[in-house]
Amino acid sequence: MKVLVTGRLPEAVMAAIKEEHHVVAHGEDRPIKRQRLLDLVGDKEGLLCMITDRIDGEVLDGAPNLKMIANLAVGYDNIDVADATVRGIPVSNTPGVLTDATADITFALILAMARRVVEGDRRTRAGEFRFWAPLHFLGREVSGKTLGIIGLGRIGRAVARRAKGFDMQILYHSRKRLEAFEENELGVSYADFNGLLEQSDFVSLHVPLTDGTHHLIGLRELKTMKPSAYLINTSRGPVVDEEALLEVLREGGIEGAGLDVYENEPALTPGLTELKNVVLLPHVGSGTIETRTKMGLKAAENLLAGLRGKRPPDCLNPEVFS
Ligand code: GLV
């Protein structure tokens, strides 16, 4: 069958797909342009796509032979899954393999913000480390502080496990409260949304982007946080109202923000880069050689299963098989 792969992937991943199918790849590192996607997908049975591709009714209308869509990500807000379901097309994501990498980058941001790691590096290079002094370059302690995790799925839990090692108090808020034994095992306490915002020294977001989580963190929520608290976002940009965040950061309403994702990425809200109290990463939560390879292999495994008419292991709309 014919397959379109919209990004450059490790050779092992491409080889696995090529063993069974004829592959056309957008072999560049930059996202495929919309028109090129529409042109190339037209006669394909399989699509392995990136989070930078919007897979909506227009794409699906133009690809009448499509039998399988495999997204190279755990988040799938870029795909109109309901529309694919109506057309009987299975859609898959890549859960599990990027949990640790994303939890690691969350902690990198927590530590970088609290201990002023990026600023310290910049100022040391600029020759500003002229002497040691007791009150120089002071950050805030991470160990023993309160971490508020919003969304306790795989990644939220992996962040909690790391936080335990830092002797943090861990609050969580999620749609579903865990069983008491699970809370004990993870060392987490349930808090209502406002309570978590009020009490946490670090608020970290681990929800998927849906209609229900769009702008979950806006002006009111940011103003509910402690002035000494940090916001960490490694989920999806639109979960935070970036204009509101900018306003609150400017006013010193919270201490800082560590961001890996942006509301209109790769564009940044004007003014964000001028702020001193932010650390800004280029959406690299899953960005390790090991994890990106595992994600590619998982996406390929799902794609190949779907094209064989089997239910892909990470199918997001299993109802298409009933
Ligand atoms: C990356 O952002 C992912 O959702 O996997």
Side-chain angles (χ1 to χ4, degrees):
M1 286 187 243
K2 293 198 263 313
V3 168
L4 173 63
V5 176
T6 63
R8 203 153 77 83
L9 296 178
E11 247 334 292
V13 177
M14 296 306 285
I17 306 171
K18 283 179 182 164
E19 234 171 72
E20 293 183 35
H21 302 285
H22 177 72
V23 178
V24 171
H26 171 71
E28 292 174 30
D29 279 326
R30 55 177 48 244
I32 191 169
K33 291 226 165 65
R34 179 79 178 170
Q35 193 53 53
R36 189 164 150 79
L37 168 65
L38 292 169
D39 290 345
L40 289 180
V41 80
D43 62 343
K44 303 296 183 292
E45 278 93 11
L47 174 63
L48 195 165
C49 58
M50 314 292 125
I51 52 170
T52 40
D53 307 325
R54 191 163 39 79
I55 308 301
D56 55 11
E58 188 188 13
V59 172
L60 300 177
D61 278 344
N65 304 331
L66 211 52
K67 290 185 171 50
M68 175 67 207
I69 302 170
N71 205 34
L72 185 84
V74 68
Y76 49 90
D77 48 280
N78 58 308
I79 301 180
D80 188 338
V81 178
D83 203 339
T85 305
V86 169
R87 298 161 199 254
I89 306 170
V91 180
S92 66
N93 65 343
T94 62
V97 289
L98 48 77
T99 304
D100 284 330
T102 309
D104 288 349
I105 207 84
T106 302
F107 252 84
L109 283 171
I110 289 173
L111 290 164
M113 284 310 307
R115 302 303 301 272
R116 299 167 62 182
V117 172
V118 178
E119 179 194 346
D121 173 86
R122 198 166 49 230
R123 292 176 63 177
T124 302
R125 287 170 199 262
E128 287 184 50
F129 177 33
R130 289 193 297 276
F131 46 80
W132 185 94
L135 299 182
H136 264 190
F137 294 110
L138 302 190
R140 290 194 185 260
E141 195 94 358
V142 172
S143 296
K145 289 291 178 64
T146 298
L147 170 66
I149 298 176
I150 298 180
L152 201 70
R154 290 182 206 83
I155 298 171
R157 287 169 200 233
V159 169
R161 285 196 292 276
R162 283 155 179 75
K164 223 171 154 182
F166 282 82
D167 293 326
M168 299 180 93
Q169 314 299 316
I170 312 166
L171 302 177
Y172 78 97
H173 182 78
S174 68
R175 267 174 316 168
K176 235 180 80 210
R177 189 171 171 170
L178 301 188
E179 300 276 346
F181 82 90
E182 285 181 289
E183 289 186 353
N184 284 340
E185 229 170 67
L186 260 182
V188 299
S189 308
Y190 182 82
D192 63 37
F193 188 48
N194 275 337
L196 181 146
L197 294 172
E198 278 165 11
Q199 295 171 59
S200 299
D201 299 302
F202 301 87
V203 172
S204 192
L205 306 175
H206 301 288
V207 291
L209 173 61
T210 63
D211 289 344
T213 61
H214 183 263
H215 284 191
L216 181 68
I217 302 295
L219 205 52
R220 187 196 73 78
E221 291 72 24
L222 292 162
K223 290 195 166 173
T224 306
M225 289 170 62
K226 294 189 205 179
S228 58
Y230 300 89
L231 178 72
I232 308 295
N233 191 10
T234 57
S235 62
R236 283 290 184 268
V239 173
V240 176
D241 177 346
E242 209 165 277
E243 285 284 354
L245 177 62
L246 201 74
E247 184 182 326
V248 170
L249 285 169
R250 272 195 184 128
E251 289 169 353
I254 63 171
E255 184 82 15
L259 306 175
D260 185 40
V261 289
Y262 306 89
E263 191 164 359
N264 300 300
E265 63 183 55
L268 306 180
T269 296
L272 197 58
T273 55
E274 275 105 75
L275 294 176
K276 290 221 165 74
N277 50 350
V278 292
V279 168
L280 308 174
L281 294 180
H283 199 150
V284 286
S286 64
T288 68
I289 294 168
E290 295 89 339
T291 290
R292 288 280 162 84
T293 303
K294 285 185 211 157
M295 288 165 69
L297 291 172
K298 205 166 196 8
E301 183 191 348
N302 278 290
L303 178 85
L304 295 178
L307 291 179
R308 284 184 208 122
K310 299 248 162 57
R311 179 168 153 172
D314 306 300
C315 192
L316 295 164
N317 52 353
E319 56 272 35
V320 300
F321 291 94
S322 58

